[in-house]
Amino acid sequence: MEQNIGDSHYYQIITGYITDLEIYDTQESYLNARKLAGRPDINVLTIGHLDLVSMANQMRINSAKIKNIDYDTADIEQYFCCKLGDKVIEGAFCRIFFNEGDYVEVVVDPLAGGTYFAYALRRPADKLLWLHPYATEGTEAGNNKLHMPILPLIFLIGAGGLGVFIIFYFVVMAFSKNDFSLLLMAAMGLLFLLPAYLVFSALKKSNSGSAIADKIFATLGYSDPKAFDIEKEYHIFSDKLFDLYKQYCENHEGSSMIDEDAYNEFIDHYMHQQSEDDSQDDILLKQYLRQTKKIDGIQWAFFYLNTPTIPSYINVIHTENHNDSHGQ
């Protein structure tokens, strides 16, 4: 089924079974593969947050050089290309561990040349969601993350107001008295404005979220996509694991002190443990831990709690309807 909407607030979704999966560890190898396939050139730095990814990779290289240590050449992202039916899907996630034959629901946007770029990939069988880098929370999700105490806030507002007054006063005096040396005094007002500017800029940046995430979560059907933060949902599982870890320590060592080796030992014990009391989410969480334990540097891939219904107005292409080999 294909529907058409012309709303820039949403992506499209393509569902189906993965075939012809190719994974590229670097941006260069991905672009070379596109060129060999005869696809049009693209500037990946203009897609989503891949410019931030490139900056992060460069910062890792620079940091390694400054510290004079060997640099781990693995970038923080991997690229891939696959097919769902006859649709060619390309994309970039932190670490790619979906496989040929997996049934997936992919949030996509068309690229020049007839292919699609993936911004999210959902695998319903084990409730895993891969997200575009840095697209984990909507633009309003961070509004309550950082609140400045009232006294520092009053101080910054007062300092900013004083700075504006100083600038205005000495500029007026300089022109009225024709003494332009007073402009130096006006410049001092900037010293009062600067702290307020830096603090409020930092707060705005920390609360800005991702417009890409807005569109991803809206496309997938989350009720309040701009306020949604997938990490908060995942914290339900991480908090549960931490509580179980504390119980594990108390039972085995008589202590609840946090220790990395002990925690890794607990995770290894937990993910291989089977219990009649395990819910379906417990079973899938243990499976997720087993899958990701040996994957270094994994980010932006989540075991999700809720599966919202894809809205009827989203353009959905069901390629599995045309794939008889899977019996769909």
Side-chain angles (χ1 to χ4, degrees):
M1 176 184 69
E2 296 192 25
Q3 307 172 42
N4 291 310
I5 60 172
D7 196 333
S8 62
H9 296 296
Y10 307 101
Y11 293 119
Q12 303 177 48
I13 291 179
I14 301 178
T15 70
Y17 295 89
I18 295 176
T19 61
D20 302 327
L21 176 63
E22 297 179 357
I23 300 173
Y24 311 100
D25 290 330
T26 66
Q27 185 183 115
E28 182 181 8
S29 60
Y30 163 65
L31 292 176
N32 285 339
R34 292 191 93 257
K35 186 174 182 179
L36 289 173
R39 299 181 192 127
D41 291 339
I42 58 171
N43 181 359
V44 295
L45 299 185
T46 64
I47 298 176
H49 298 315
L50 294 183
D51 56 338
L52 299 179
V53 169
S54 180
M55 290 172 58
N57 285 329
Q58 189 59 49
M59 288 174 63
R60 294 175 71 201
I61 295 173
N62 293 340
S63 177
K65 289 180 178 178
I66 292 172
K67 296 177 181 178
N68 196 27
I69 59 177
D70 292 335
Y71 171 65
D72 180 1
T73 56
D75 291 338
I76 63 173
E77 88 283 19
Q78 290 180 316
Y79 296 83
F80 76 95
C81 181
C82 70
K83 283 186 176 181
L84 298 184
D86 61 353
K87 307 298 183 183
V88 177
I89 313 294
E90 308 174 57
F93 298 122
C94 178
R95 293 293 178 263
I96 294 165
F97 50 99
F98 42 82
N99 306 294
E100 290 258 351
D102 287 349
Y103 174 79
V104 294
E105 301 165 343
V106 190
V107 177
V108 301
D109 211 27
L111 287 174
T115 65
Y116 296 84
F117 193 87
Y119 285 94
L121 184 147
R122 188 164 70 180
R123 189 166 66 185
D126 52 2
K127 302 181 74 171
L128 289 187
L129 177 66
W130 284 259
L131 288 173
H132 185 76
Y134 303 110
T136 61
E137 64 176 19
T139 52
E140 297 176 4
N143 287 349
N144 297 320
K145 281 189 174 181
L146 290 178
H147 286 294
M148 183 176 294
I150 187 65
L151 290 179
L153 181 62
I154 292 174
F155 172 78
L156 287 172
I157 293 175
L162 180 59
V164 171
F165 172 78
I166 290 173
I167 293 172
F168 178 77
Y169 176 79
F170 282 105
V171 167
V172 171
M173 292 294 291
F175 282 96
S176 63
K177 294 187 176 183
N178 204 26
D179 183 359
F180 294 104
S181 63
L182 293 174
L183 291 177
L184 294 175
M185 298 298 295
M188 291 182 61
L190 295 175
L191 297 177
F192 291 89
L193 285 174
L194 185 60
Y197 171 78
L198 292 176
V199 170
F200 286 116
S201 294
L203 285 173
K204 182 179 179 181
K205 184 176 181 180
S206 67
N207 291 338
S208 61
S210 165
I212 301 295
D214 286 350
K215 292 181 68 172
I216 291 172
F217 297 137
T219 302
L220 288 173
Y222 287 90
S223 59
D224 193 358
K226 290 187 177 182
F228 184 69
D229 183 349
I230 189 69
E231 292 186 350
K232 288 183 179 179
E233 185 173 270
Y234 182 72
H235 284 167
I236 295 174
F237 300 105
S238 58
D239 290 345
K240 176 181 179 179
L241 282 176
F242 189 70
D243 289 340
L244 291 172
Y245 165 65
K246 289 193 293 185
Q247 295 176 21
Y248 176 84
C249 289
E250 291 170 358
N251 293 336
H252 289 75
E253 302 173 7
S255 170
S256 60
M257 292 182 61
I258 299 175
D259 178 83
E260 183 177 353
D261 291 336
Y263 185 75
N264 289 334
E265 179 183 304
F266 157 72
I267 290 294
D268 190 65
H269 169 78
Y270 172 78
M271 67 186 184
H272 292 103
Q273 182 188 51
Q274 295 183 359
S275 170
E276 294 181 354
D277 297 328
D278 282 349
S279 66
Q280 185 63 23
D281 282 346
D282 290 327
I283 294 171
L284 293 176
L285 177 59
K286 291 177 180 181
Q287 181 177 319
Y288 168 77
L289 292 171
R290 290 194 295 270
Q291 288 184 79
T292 58
K293 181 175 175 60
K294 296 182 179 180
I295 302 176
D296 293 330
I298 187 170
Q299 301 181 76
W300 312 309
F302 298 92
F303 178 69
Y304 58 86
L305 180 63
N306 299 307
T307 310
T309 302
I310 297 171
S312 60
Y313 47 79
I314 297 299
N315 184 14
V316 181
I317 304 172
H318 294 286
T319 66
E320 67 273 20
N321 293 342
H322 309 291
N323 194 335
D324 295 334
S325 65
H326 291 281
Q328 296 289 324

